[in-house]
Structure formats: C-alpha cells, structure tokens
Amino acid sequence: MSRTLVLVRHGQSEWNLKNLFTGWRDVDLTEQGHAEAKAAGQKLKARGLKFDIAFTSALSRAQKTCQHILDAVGQGDLKTIRDQALNERDYGDLSGLNKDDARKKWGEEQVHVWRRSYDVPPPGGESLKDTGARVWPYYLHDLQPHVLRGGTVLVAAHGNSLRALIMALDGKSGEEIVKLELGTGVPVIYQLNADSTVASKEVLEG
C-alpha cells in the first residue's frame, strides 16, 4: 500500500515577486510561478506518481499550481477538493503592504516578531499557531484517512499552512518550524506508516 502524501507550496506569486504580504489576498502566479508548478509536476511524473485525490486552498495561486501538477502527471481531471482551511496564514493589517514599508511603519523588530514568532499574530491576523489550529484538524479528518487507506494524496497549498502540517508530521517545535524555509514549487514526499507516523520524507529540490 502506498500511503503517500505529497506537499507542494504554490509557485511564485505576483506579490511574492513584489515583496508584499499576501495572506488571504487572491493574487495570481507569475510567469516564473507557472513554470515552477509545471516543473514540480514533471518531477513527480518522473517518479511515476499517480494521485488518488488532490486538496488545495480557496486561493487561485494554489489551485493553479495544483492543476499544473495534475496536468503534468496526466490526471488533469482528478477530483480536487478546495478548502479555506488550507489557505495561507492571514496577515491581517499587513496584507498588501510592502515588507520594507511595514518595517518603516512598525519597526524592524516588531515586524520580525510578527513574521517569525510562532504564537504572536499581526494586528487583525493569524499567528502560525492560529493557522495550525485550522490546518491540523482538517488534515486529520479530511486528508489523512485517504493516505492511511493506502492512497497517494496531493496537497498544493501555502508556505505557512504547509509549515503547520510539517510541524506536526516532523514533530518540530514552534521555534524550529518558523525557521523552516519552503521553496516555491518544491515537492515534499512523505511515506506514512499504518499508525500515521512518518516512515520517510524526501524533498525534490533542484
């Protein structure tokens, strides 16, 4: 039985390129972002992976990344479930602001705390801990059962929603997980044991 979980952060978005806080704002992929998503699909195709179901967020940059991957592996019409539980962390009042401008407004130290602490949310937004509080139950109730039944499951989502998943899967602390960098369009492949623990993990970089 396969019991395979593939996590992919969406390709570069227009606001990634502009150095803006994005969060729940629905922005498109850049040309590079489309290319990164297609390349992720080719890497997974080269591994001979076929998916039983796909999950993505309610935001188009993740949805388009998911579709590029499925098209690349020849499964463009695969059942795909979209849910805002997998959305990026909500940056609240920071959303839409240039990160340099935010530092000028609130100070370098405060912005760093909002971006890189585990449990301190920006004004009107979510901390990574808050994000995990919606991502992890969704994983347990909606995604994990497919994997444990022997399925191969694709999740195309966002840097922080995936960090929240990886934190639980890898048993990382809040301090450790905020330091984790997830490349855009880089697949992370987990093999799970029957008891839901991680048997192996591989990151398809390069």
Side-chain angles (χ1 to χ4, degrees):
M1 298 182 77
S2 175
R3 290 197 294 269
T4 302
L5 175 66
V6 178
L7 309 180
V8 186
R9 181 185 175 193
H10 64 76
Q12 183 192 63
S13 75
E14 292 173 345
W15 282 17
N16 290 148
L17 182 62
K18 294 176 181 177
N19 201 33
L20 305 179
F21 286 101
T22 312
W24 283 42
R25 300 288 183 87
D26 201 10
V27 301
D28 204 351
L29 297 174
T30 61
E31 186 175 333
Q32 177 180 323
H34 285 287
E36 288 172 346
K38 292 173 183 176
Q42 290 300 323
K43 290 175 189 174
L44 295 168
K45 181 182 179 183
R47 292 299 180 92
L49 281 172
K50 289 288 185 182
F51 298 102
D52 296 294
I53 193 169
F55 292 85
T56 189
S57 77
L59 300 169
S60 60
R61 58 192 184 275
Q63 293 170 8
K64 290 181 180 180
T65 296
C66 187
Q67 192 61 52
H68 281 315
I69 292 170
L70 293 177
D71 288 343
V73 300
Q75 294 185 280
D77 59 352
L78 184 72
K79 180 179 179 181
T80 300
I81 296 175
R82 301 173 176 181
D83 199 290
Q84 67 180 22
L86 294 173
N87 277 16
E88 177 58 295
R89 172 185 171 190
D90 184 354
Y91 277 105
D93 292 354
L94 300 182
S95 300
L97 290 181
N98 182 281
K99 291 171 184 175
D100 292 330
D101 291 340
R103 292 185 188 101
K104 290 174 186 174
K105 182 174 181 177
W106 283 289
E108 178 88 31
E109 185 176 341
Q110 182 62 71
V111 172
H112 180 76
V113 168
W114 288 332
R115 291 190 68 199
R116 292 304 181 191
S117 68
Y118 175 62
D119 56 3
V120 180
E126 293 178 309
S127 65
L128 183 53
K129 183 178 180 180
D130 296 328
T131 306
R134 58 176 163 83
V135 171
W136 188 240
Y138 184 72
Y139 169 75
L140 288 175
H141 295 127
D142 293 77
L143 279 76
Q144 189 187 76
H146 292 281
V147 182
L148 297 184
R149 284 196 294 267
T152 299
V153 175
L154 172 65
V155 180
H158 306 264
N160 284 300
S161 52
L162 293 178
R163 276 191 185 95
L165 264 185
I166 290 169
M167 178 181 178
L169 289 166
D170 291 2
K172 291 184 179 293
S173 68
E175 188 175 299
E176 290 171 325
I177 199 64
V178 294
K179 298 174 183 175
L180 176 69
E181 294 296 335
L182 285 174
T184 49
V186 177
V188 182
I189 303 174
Y190 283 92
Q191 298 287 339
L192 299 189
N193 295 311
D195 64 358
S196 78
T197 58
V198 174
S200 67
K201 175 185 178 182
E202 184 180 7
V203 182
L204 300 186
E205 295 184 287

